[in-house]
Each structure stands twice: as C-alpha cells, then as structure tokens.
Amino acid sequence: MFICVNLRPNFMSDISIRQANPDDAKPLTDLAYTTFWDAFAAHPKNAPDDLNHYMRQAFNVEQIAAELADEKNIFLLAEIEGELAGYSKLILDNIEPGVTATQPVELSRLYSQQKFLGKGVGQTLMDACFKRAKNDGRDVMWLGVWEYNPRAQRFYEKNGFRIVGSHTFLLGSDPQTDLLMQKEL
C-alpha cells in the first residue's frame, strides 16, 4: 500500500494519500462524478446533453469498479479527516502520438472537491503521482488538458509539464481539443 502524508502547516488539515482498492468503487464514483460536474458543468462550451452522456458512461459504479480492477490503472485518494477530498488516476504504459517516452504513465485524472480548492489537495496528489511514477521506473508523465481550462494548464506548467501536441476528447457527441503535456521524470 502506498501512503503519503502531507504535514504542511499552511493548510487547514493534514492531507493523507492512499491507493484506492475495490471497496472504494462507490465512494470514488461519487467523488469522480461530483468533481467532474463541478469542474465542467457551468462552462458555456459544454452542452448539457453531451456532458450528461459522458458522465453516465464514465462515472458509474460498474465502470469505476472495472477501472479499479485493471492493473494498468492506479487511483490515489486524498483524504482530509477521513473525508475524500480528491483523487487522481494514473494509467501505466499508455501513450499518444507526440509524447516521447519509453516507460510512460498517463495522468488521466486529477480532481479535488470544490470546498478543498486552494487547500493543497491538488498539489499533494500531484506530488504523490510523481513519487509513484518514479518509484515504478516511469520516465515520462503525460496528460491531456482541455484547451478551455487555463487554470489547470497553469497548474501543470507550474509542475514542469510542457505542451507537446493535442488530441481529440469526445464529450458525448462533442469533439473537444485537449492539449497534450508531458514532463520528464
């Protein structure tokens, strides 16, 4: 089991990180659904039907349980005082054209609850992802970030990621452009 505790005194409480297990399928589904909705539902570029279609497909207990069971996926959960505050999903050996790596890891998701934004959850998860990737011998971490999400882009740039291309992310029936970013580990 992978555990990391952040003892940064500037934040409201300690943030603990642990790897998700099959018993986490339901709470992780709820967290994933809520955080994705909070991040993207209000954006005028996202049609409600497309958003709802994608979310029904991506964030149901059966889908999350299947992802948890797949050894290529690593979910890390951030908790504050026993409450799920955020999560990340890494995918081993996944790569896109434009990403240069021999041992890649994709940072597929990194989300925190709205009430914990600015409290260090995202950075603590990011640090835990870097640590896990390095411990697993990964040479590059990469991700796709929506072209209309400048806050996330700045966060990733601050963490050493650089743009190496783009790809299409299908949100329901809406083909959207994600910027591909990578960081050498």
Side-chain angles (χ1 to χ4, degrees):
M1 175 178 277
F2 174 79
I3 296 176
C4 169
V5 177
N6 176 20
L7 300 174
R8 297 180 190 175
N10 296 337
F11 298 108
M12 67 180 233
S13 183
D14 293 343
I15 301 168
S16 63
I17 304 292
R18 67 176 177 86
Q19 185 167 331
N21 62 60
D23 293 336
D24 293 310
K26 174 67 170 115
L28 179 55
T29 300
D30 295 343
L31 178 66
Y33 189 95
T34 299
T35 56
F36 194 87
W37 176 265
D38 289 346
F40 300 112
H43 199 287
K45 296 247 181 225
N46 289 329
D49 289 346
D50 288 324
L51 187 69
N52 288 329
H53 175 78
Y54 173 77
M55 291 180 66
R56 280 192 310 274
Q57 302 264 324
F59 306 122
N60 63 71
V61 175
E62 295 78 18
Q63 177 63 35
I64 297 296
E67 291 176 18
L68 281 166
D70 185 339
E71 292 179 2
K72 289 182 69 170
N73 297 325
I74 300 165
F75 285 88
L76 300 178
L77 304 177
E79 297 177 326
I80 296 177
E81 297 177 2
E83 180 180 358
L84 285 178
Y87 80 102
S88 62
K89 176 186 176 189
L90 297 170
I91 305 174
L92 303 176
D93 300 320
N94 200 24
I95 197 162
E96 289 267 343
V99 175
T100 53
T102 56
Q103 294 291 315
V105 60
E106 177 186 3
L107 177 59
S108 175
R109 297 182 189 146
L110 184 103
Y111 292 95
S112 66
Q113 286 197 59
Q114 289 289 318
K115 71 180 182 178
F116 295 117
L117 288 179
K119 306 293 184 190
V121 172
Q123 189 61 57
T124 301
L125 278 166
M126 186 87 261
D127 293 344
C129 287
F130 288 148
K131 183 176 181 178
R132 176 63 186 258
K134 288 176 186 175
N135 287 344
D136 287 350
R138 301 292 151 177
D139 62 338
V140 166
M141 183 177 291
W142 70 275
L143 57 89
V145 59
W146 192 29
E147 67 180 331
Y148 296 111
N149 192 347
R151 180 180 180 167
Q153 291 170 34
R154 285 190 304 273
F155 174 78
Y156 295 128
E157 287 169 353
K158 182 183 90 170
N159 277 281
F161 287 87
R162 62 184 172 82
I163 297 172
V164 295
S166 65
H167 72 178
T168 299
F169 176 83
L170 196 59
L171 184 77
S173 63
D174 181 19
Q176 298 185 347
T177 300
D178 276 0
L179 303 175
L180 295 178
M181 301 181 82
Q182 79 175 41
K183 175 186 168 101
E184 289 74 24
L185 301 172

